[in-house]
Amino acid sequence: MGVPSGCFSSNISTAAQSSRSASRGIRAQCFRVVPYSFGDELFIDLQQIIPTPEAADYMIGISSKEVEETNVKGVQTRRHQLRLQFWARALERLRADGITLFANVNPSRDHWVNAGSGVRGCPFTMIFARDEARVEVNLARVDRDENKWLFDQLQADRSAIEARFGGEMSWLRLDERKQSRISYSRPFDGYEVDNWPEMLVWLSEHIRKLEGAFRQPLAQYARSIPSVDESGTGETNILI
């Protein structure tokens, strides 16, 4: 929207500035028009005064940022709504299948939901991603060394655990991080709602298998996590 005039009152200038909003799709500009003649010819001097030429690039940048932030916020809102709907159906499916592991869990806006394994800081997790569904054991205790020790004990028992689970799993020690995890996944187009029934069946089946394969050995090894004596003697204690 362009407003030409020979001069502008302060009210018009203020209104033009405040109405510039990318979110409302409004771009107001004010031009000073000064006519003058030279002999028989008539000329017009057209000058943009709001925004000033120096400020135009800056204002365009601000408007672009507003549009980008609005678009990102909209995408996040849709993603959160999608996750809430998916987890509501998933938890309902688990209840129908007689799985009580997530009985006290509510639908979430996150792409994951956790349930207790009986060992502090080591939940059983279901993942709903754009391109896959996944079940995993997260070794996420406060102490990094405890997580790595637990992982090593479980990995030493890998053959027996995978035999109980019924498939080869992904064992990620993640030495550069505090936590470790053991997971099993299957590719899905998660944002295609028509795929959800198959995903829910898969998650229900494999979270049951995950709990059956890990609950006993995880509890067993957790009772034997070693710690260094804080007295400085270097002796090793067992955390019960």
Side-chain angles (χ1 to χ4, degrees):
M1 177 178 68
V3 181
S5 178
C7 61
F8 295 94
S9 69
S10 60
N11 290 339
I12 293 178
S13 300
T14 301
Q17 292 280 21
S18 63
S19 67
R20 291 177 58 83
S21 171
S23 61
R24 294 193 295 267
I26 298 173
R27 182 181 179 185
Q29 296 171 289
C30 293
F31 298 88
R32 176 184 291 117
V33 180
V34 180
Y36 63 94
S37 62
F38 181 77
D40 295 333
E41 297 185 34
L42 181 65
F43 298 90
I44 294 177
D45 182 17
L46 184 67
Q47 298 180 8
Q48 179 177 320
I49 61 171
I50 298 177
T52 63
E54 294 79 8
D57 290 342
Y58 174 76
M59 296 299 293
I60 290 172
I62 292 295
S63 297
S64 300
K65 184 177 180 181
E66 288 178 356
V67 171
E68 182 180 351
E69 289 176 349
T70 299
N71 290 339
V72 168
K73 190 173 296 184
V75 170
Q76 289 178 337
T77 299
R78 290 192 295 273
R79 186 181 298 139
H80 290 165
Q81 291 173 346
L82 198 68
R83 290 170 179 168
L84 283 168
Q85 293 170 11
F86 179 84
W87 289 126
R89 296 192 191 183
L91 296 173
E92 182 179 351
R93 175 71 197 211
L94 295 185
R95 287 193 295 270
D97 291 344
I99 299 174
T100 60
L101 184 61
F102 289 82
N104 296 322
V105 175
N106 294 319
S108 171
R109 296 189 304 175
D110 295 314
H111 69 284
W112 49 268
V113 290
N114 284 339
S117 66
V119 174
R120 175 174 49 84
C122 300
F124 296 135
T125 304
M126 294 192 298
I127 307 290
F128 166 54
R130 177 188 291 273
D131 56 359
E132 70 174 6
R134 188 165 78 244
V135 295
E136 61 188 32
V137 179
N138 272 302
L139 306 178
R141 294 167 71 90
V142 174
D143 190 298
R144 176 190 180 278
D145 291 340
E146 292 180 10
N147 295 327
K148 304 311 173 187
W149 187 88
L150 275 174
F151 180 89
D152 292 341
Q153 304 311 304
L154 291 168
Q155 190 172 43
D157 200 19
R158 177 173 179 171
S159 296
I161 290 173
E162 290 185 338
R164 288 194 298 271
F165 180 79
E168 184 176 348
M169 308 186 75
S170 177
W171 295 72
L172 303 174
R173 196 174 193 272
L174 303 175
D175 290 335
E176 72 282 4
R177 301 183 187 178
K178 183 168 71 172
Q179 69 182 53
S180 298
R181 68 173 181 262
I182 305 154
S183 65
Y184 188 78
S185 64
R186 177 181 164 181
F188 284 101
D189 181 356
Y191 288 2
E192 176 55 60
V193 177
D194 290 343
N195 293 331
W196 286 7
E198 187 178 1
M199 292 179 69
L200 299 181
V201 170
W202 188 91
L203 281 171
S204 179
E205 175 186 351
H206 288 86
I207 198 64
R208 188 197 299 270
K209 290 182 176 181
L210 188 82
E211 181 183 15
F214 280 94
R215 183 173 288 277
Q216 186 275 329
L218 186 59
Q220 173 187 335
Y221 294 131
R223 288 193 292 269
S224 303
I225 295 176
S227 68
V228 177
D229 185 1
E230 295 181 356
S231 66
T233 62
E235 298 179 356
T236 299
N237 299 325
I238 300 298
L239 295 181
I240 303 299

